[in-house]
Amino acid sequence: MTTTTEPFDALLEWLDPDREKAGQRYEVIRAGLIRIFVSKGLSDAEHYTDEAIDRVIKKLPEIRAGYIGDPARYFHGVARNLVLESGRRREVATDVLPQRVVPEPPRSDTSDCLSKCLQLLPRDKQELILDYHLYQGRAKVLHHQQMASELSISEGALRTRAHHLRVNLEKCVNECVGYQGKNKSAVESHSN
Amino acid sequence: MGGVSTITKEQENEVRQYLFGQLQEADEESLELRLLTEPSFVEEFDTIVDEVTDQYVRNELSGDEGKGFETSYLSTTEGQQKLMFASELLDRAEASRGAAPVVAKPGFFDWVSGFWQNQLRLAATAAAVVIIAGGIFLISRSINSGPVHYAVVNLAISTANRAEGAVPARVKYESLQAGLQANLAIPEDERGGRDYRVKLVSGNGPEHFLAIASHNDQTVTVQIPISFLNRGSYALQMFRTAPDGTEQHIRGNYFFDIE
């Protein structure tokens, strides 16, 4: 974040006079912006999100008095502009430079980390997350019905439960892969 | 955030169309505004992204859907990371429950071609020590008393990659009847595992966890069905389960080519 405290306070106040509600609204806008940028094919969505928020903060003194409507709409307009700008930049860049190849982390790291992160879950949750991701198509639907019935919960509740587990597992794996990657780099730099 | 589904089937379809880049601009705008204002919608959105990613890995999306998802969401590093995780999770689920193997799009396995050429420094230092121990012998014979015939190959692990000179074992496609039995020498420092798992990786096809036919202190034997094999380059990767239940990927690959 490149925001300084005072303008940021002004932004929060614009979002809601109640500081706590404003903070919540800010978090929702931030989360939404990240998803919009990724969905539009922009890598480093957090960078674009920070840029969008910075732009709104800079414009705020000008627009605040006359602005009518939900501030989220203004953020949306800024995000749209950023998506268009990045599209133009990519067009120019690919005329001049070969496309950058983003190196994939070795797959074995993900596999190792998944094993480690699964081990951190209680047995019943390990089973739930693996069971939930079995099968495809119609077989999957029936399997989820059966799982929900065994757990005495609705299919929607099962879906939510599985999603929360998956989010945490994915976060754990990403952190683990990042950590292993850093360690490998350190080993390589020591061996040189 | 939390709670049960807050969107209808129609809205769910809209999110899917959005991810495929197929939504009209006005609908797109209203969906994006919901993302900026409704925490429960963000959670639904994330759930649908996961489901679509799983469908992509399992090759369940139509051509246009898959392409749309590839050119937008999956073209980002965030999307690639998610794809990698989904693929591993589905593989693990299938392997742990013994269900049918996951079928993935060849596009996703682009990383494999990079894998063959990857210049890993550590591996380079180990390149000299690679190789196929005990000589490769290839015979077509019955492994059981029954009529099922597997060609047999003995493989040692290589910590180098192909570009660095790892020599793959060579097997004639014609010699495969039921498939290929690979006897994999366990590296000395990886022996004593409670269990082992082996994954088949190909340069241009899906991956498969393989059934372990047998293992002793020095060797793990897997049988690769003919349906998993074509002419091409392959690697086997081994995973060792320690006595405390933790699983580790054993560094290196067992390379072979089907000619």
Side-chain angles (χ1 to χ4, degrees), chain B residues 150-166:
Chain B
Y150 283 81
V152 179
V153 63
N154 292 341
L155 300 174
I157 203 159
S158 163
T159 50
N161 60 39
R162 288 173 183 247
E164 291 160 344

PDB file of all heavy atoms in Angstrom, chain B residues 150-166:
ATOM      1  N   TYR B 150       3.510 -58.175 -19.449  1.00  0.00           N
ATOM      2  CA  TYR B 150       4.072 -56.822 -19.330  1.00  0.00           C
ATOM      3  C   TYR B 150       5.533 -56.865 -19.769  1.00  0.00           C
ATOM      4  O   TYR B 150       6.262 -57.795 -19.388  1.00  0.00           O
ATOM      5  CB  TYR B 150       4.032 -56.338 -17.882  1.00  0.00           C
ATOM      6  CG  TYR B 150       2.667 -55.881 -17.412  1.00  0.00           C
ATOM      7  CD1 TYR B 150       1.716 -56.792 -16.991  1.00  0.00           C
ATOM      8  CD2 TYR B 150       2.347 -54.527 -17.372  1.00  0.00           C
ATOM      9  CE1 TYR B 150       0.466 -56.376 -16.547  1.00  0.00           C
ATOM     10  CE2 TYR B 150       1.109 -54.101 -16.934  1.00  0.00           C
ATOM     11  CZ  TYR B 150       0.173 -55.037 -16.526  1.00  0.00           C
ATOM     12  OH  TYR B 150      -1.058 -54.617 -16.082  1.00  0.00           O
ATOM     13  N   ALA B 151       5.949 -55.893 -20.538  1.00  0.00           N
ATOM     14  CA  ALA B 151       7.385 -55.729 -20.762  1.00  0.00           C
ATOM     15  C   ALA B 151       7.981 -55.243 -19.450  1.00  0.00           C
ATOM     16  O   ALA B 151       7.293 -54.579 -18.665  1.00  0.00           O
ATOM     17  CB  ALA B 151       7.618 -54.711 -21.856  1.00  0.00           C
ATOM     18  N   VAL B 152       9.227 -55.581 -19.194  1.00  0.00           N
ATOM     19  CA  VAL B 152       9.834 -55.242 -17.904  1.00  0.00           C
ATOM     20  C   VAL B 152      11.048 -54.341 -18.114  1.00  0.00           C
ATOM     21  O   VAL B 152      11.853 -54.572 -19.008  1.00  0.00           O
ATOM     22  CB  VAL B 152      10.275 -56.522 -17.152  1.00  0.00           C
ATOM     23  CG1 VAL B 152      10.920 -56.161 -15.820  1.00  0.00           C
ATOM     24  CG2 VAL B 152       9.073 -57.435 -16.928  1.00  0.00           C
ATOM     25  N   VAL B 153      11.152 -53.331 -17.280  1.00  0.00           N
ATOM     26  CA  VAL B 153      12.321 -52.457 -17.362  1.00  0.00           C
ATOM     27  C   VAL B 153      12.779 -52.127 -15.944  1.00  0.00           C
ATOM     28  O   VAL B 153      11.953 -51.937 -15.052  1.00  0.00           O
ATOM     29  CB  VAL B 153      11.990 -51.185 -18.176  1.00  0.00           C
ATOM     30  CG1 VAL B 153      10.909 -50.354 -17.524  1.00  0.00           C
ATOM     31  CG2 VAL B 153      13.225 -50.343 -18.406  1.00  0.00           C
ATOM     32  N   ASN B 154      14.093 -52.128 -15.743  1.00  0.00           N
ATOM     33  CA  ASN B 154      14.653 -51.738 -14.442  1.00  0.00           C
ATOM     34  C   ASN B 154      15.145 -50.298 -14.549  1.00  0.00           C
ATOM     35  O   ASN B 154      15.888 -49.972 -15.479  1.00  0.00           O
ATOM     36  CB  ASN B 154      15.836 -52.630 -14.061  1.00  0.00           C
ATOM     37  CG  ASN B 154      15.403 -54.049 -13.780  1.00  0.00           C
ATOM     38  OD1 ASN B 154      14.224 -54.299 -13.526  1.00  0.00           O
ATOM     39  ND2 ASN B 154      16.326 -54.980 -13.834  1.00  0.00           N
ATOM     40  N   LEU B 155      14.765 -49.457 -13.613  1.00  0.00           N
ATOM     41  CA  LEU B 155      15.144 -48.047 -13.703  1.00  0.00           C
ATOM     42  C   LEU B 155      15.784 -47.567 -12.408  1.00  0.00           C
ATOM     43  O   LEU B 155      15.402 -47.997 -11.320  1.00  0.00           O
ATOM     44  CB  LEU B 155      13.914 -47.177 -13.986  1.00  0.00           C
ATOM     45  CG  LEU B 155      13.138 -47.450 -15.269  1.00  0.00           C
ATOM     46  CD1 LEU B 155      11.876 -46.597 -15.315  1.00  0.00           C
ATOM     47  CD2 LEU B 155      13.995 -47.154 -16.496  1.00  0.00           C
ATOM     48  N   ALA B 156      16.759 -46.668 -12.573  1.00  0.00           N
ATOM     49  CA  ALA B 156      17.353 -45.992 -11.402  1.00  0.00           C
ATOM     50  C   ALA B 156      16.991 -44.516 -11.489  1.00  0.00           C
ATOM     51  O   ALA B 156      16.765 -43.980 -12.581  1.00  0.00           O
ATOM     52  CB  ALA B 156      18.856 -46.178 -11.398  1.00  0.00           C
ATOM     53  N   ILE B 157      16.966 -43.887 -10.355  1.00  0.00           N
ATOM     54  CA  ILE B 157      16.547 -42.482 -10.331  1.00  0.00           C
ATOM     55  C   ILE B 157      17.652 -41.583 -10.885  1.00  0.00           C
ATOM     56  O   ILE B 157      18.841 -41.891 -10.767  1.00  0.00           O
ATOM     57  CB  ILE B 157      16.147 -42.063  -8.898  1.00  0.00           C
ATOM     58  CG1 ILE B 157      15.202 -40.865  -8.925  1.00  0.00           C
ATOM     59  CG2 ILE B 157      17.391 -41.749  -8.045  1.00  0.00           C
ATOM     60  CD1 ILE B 157      14.380 -40.698  -7.668  1.00  0.00           C
ATOM     61  N   SER B 158      17.211 -40.485 -11.529  1.00  0.00           N
ATOM     62  CA  SER B 158      18.142 -39.490 -12.037  1.00  0.00           C
ATOM     63  C   SER B 158      17.791 -38.141 -11.437  1.00  0.00           C
ATOM     64  O   SER B 158      16.635 -37.726 -11.484  1.00  0.00           O
ATOM     65  CB  SER B 158      18.023 -39.421 -13.556  1.00  0.00           C
ATOM     66  OG  SER B 158      18.603 -38.216 -14.015  1.00  0.00           O
ATOM     67  N   THR B 159      18.781 -37.473 -10.880  1.00  0.00           N
ATOM     68  CA  THR B 159      18.508 -36.143 -10.324  1.00  0.00           C
ATOM     69  C   THR B 159      18.765 -35.048 -11.350  1.00  0.00           C
ATOM     70  O   THR B 159      18.529 -33.880 -11.086  1.00  0.00           O
ATOM     71  CB  THR B 159      19.351 -35.876  -9.071  1.00  0.00           C
ATOM     72  OG1 THR B 159      20.701 -36.172  -9.368  1.00  0.00           O
ATOM     73  CG2 THR B 159      18.876 -36.710  -7.904  1.00  0.00           C
ATOM     74  N   ALA B 160      19.264 -35.423 -12.509  1.00  0.00           N
ATOM     75  CA  ALA B 160      19.406 -34.438 -13.597  1.00  0.00           C
ATOM     76  C   ALA B 160      18.159 -34.510 -14.466  1.00  0.00           C
ATOM     77  O   ALA B 160      17.353 -35.434 -14.338  1.00  0.00           O
ATOM     78  CB  ALA B 160      20.625 -34.779 -14.434  1.00  0.00           C
ATOM     79  N   ASN B 161      17.978 -33.545 -15.345  1.00  0.00           N
ATOM     80  CA  ASN B 161      16.896 -33.668 -16.306  1.00  0.00           C
ATOM     81  C   ASN B 161      17.465 -34.083 -17.662  1.00  0.00           C
ATOM     82  O   ASN B 161      18.675 -34.220 -17.830  1.00  0.00           O
ATOM     83  CB  ASN B 161      16.065 -32.386 -16.374  1.00  0.00           C
ATOM     84  CG  ASN B 161      16.879 -31.196 -16.787  1.00  0.00           C
ATOM     85  OD1 ASN B 161      17.747 -31.317 -17.649  1.00  0.00           O
ATOM     86  ND2 ASN B 161      16.623 -30.052 -16.182  1.00  0.00           N
ATOM     87  N   ARG B 162      16.564 -34.262 -18.607  1.00  0.00           N
ATOM     88  CA  ARG B 162      17.010 -34.785 -19.903  1.00  0.00           C
ATOM     89  C   ARG B 162      18.003 -33.874 -20.597  1.00  0.00           C
ATOM     90  O   ARG B 162      18.963 -34.328 -21.207  1.00  0.00           O
ATOM     91  CB  ARG B 162      15.793 -35.020 -20.796  1.00  0.00           C
ATOM     92  CG  ARG B 162      14.985 -36.208 -20.337  1.00  0.00           C
ATOM     93  CD  ARG B 162      13.700 -36.327 -21.113  1.00  0.00           C
ATOM     94  NE  ARG B 162      12.924 -37.447 -20.600  1.00  0.00           N
ATOM     95  CZ  ARG B 162      12.677 -38.553 -21.282  1.00  0.00           C
ATOM     96  NH1 ARG B 162      13.105 -38.688 -22.517  1.00  0.00           N
ATOM     97  NH2 ARG B 162      11.980 -39.531 -20.741  1.00  0.00           N
ATOM     98  N   ALA B 163      17.743 -32.555 -20.484  1.00  0.00           N
ATOM     99  CA  ALA B 163      18.620 -31.604 -21.165  1.00  0.00           C
ATOM    100  C   ALA B 163      20.039 -31.681 -20.624  1.00  0.00           C
ATOM    101  O   ALA B 163      20.991 -31.324 -21.302  1.00  0.00           O
ATOM    102  CB  ALA B 163      18.070 -30.191 -20.991  1.00  0.00           C
ATOM    103  N   GLU B 164      20.132 -32.151 -19.384  1.00  0.00           N
ATOM    104  CA  GLU B 164      21.462 -32.217 -18.771  1.00  0.00           C
ATOM    105  C   GLU B 164      22.116 -33.585 -18.955  1.00  0.00           C
ATOM    106  O   GLU B 164      23.135 -33.862 -18.339  1.00  0.00           O
ATOM    107  CB  GLU B 164      21.344 -31.892 -17.286  1.00  0.00           C
ATOM    108  CG  GLU B 164      20.988 -30.450 -17.055  1.00  0.00           C
ATOM    109  CD  GLU B 164      20.408 -30.215 -15.669  1.00  0.00           C
ATOM    110  OE1 GLU B 164      20.012 -31.198 -15.027  1.00  0.00           O
ATOM    111  OE2 GLU B 164      20.350 -29.050 -15.276  1.00  0.00           O
ATOM    112  N   GLY B 165      21.482 -34.416 -19.735  1.00  0.00           N
ATOM    113  CA  GLY B 165      22.135 -35.662 -20.086  1.00  0.00           C
ATOM    114  C   GLY B 165      21.600 -36.906 -19.430  1.00  0.00           C
ATOM    115  O   GLY B 165      22.196 -37.968 -19.570  1.00  0.00           O
ATOM    116  N   ALA B 166      20.500 -36.796 -18.713  1.00  0.00           N
ATOM    117  CA  ALA B 166      19.921 -38.011 -18.144  1.00  0.00           C
ATOM    118  C   ALA B 166      19.528 -38.942 -19.289  1.00  0.00           C
ATOM    119  O   ALA B 166      18.902 -38.503 -20.253  1.00  0.00           O
ATOM    120  CB  ALA B 166      18.705 -37.668 -17.319  1.00  0.00           C
TER     121      ALA B 166
END
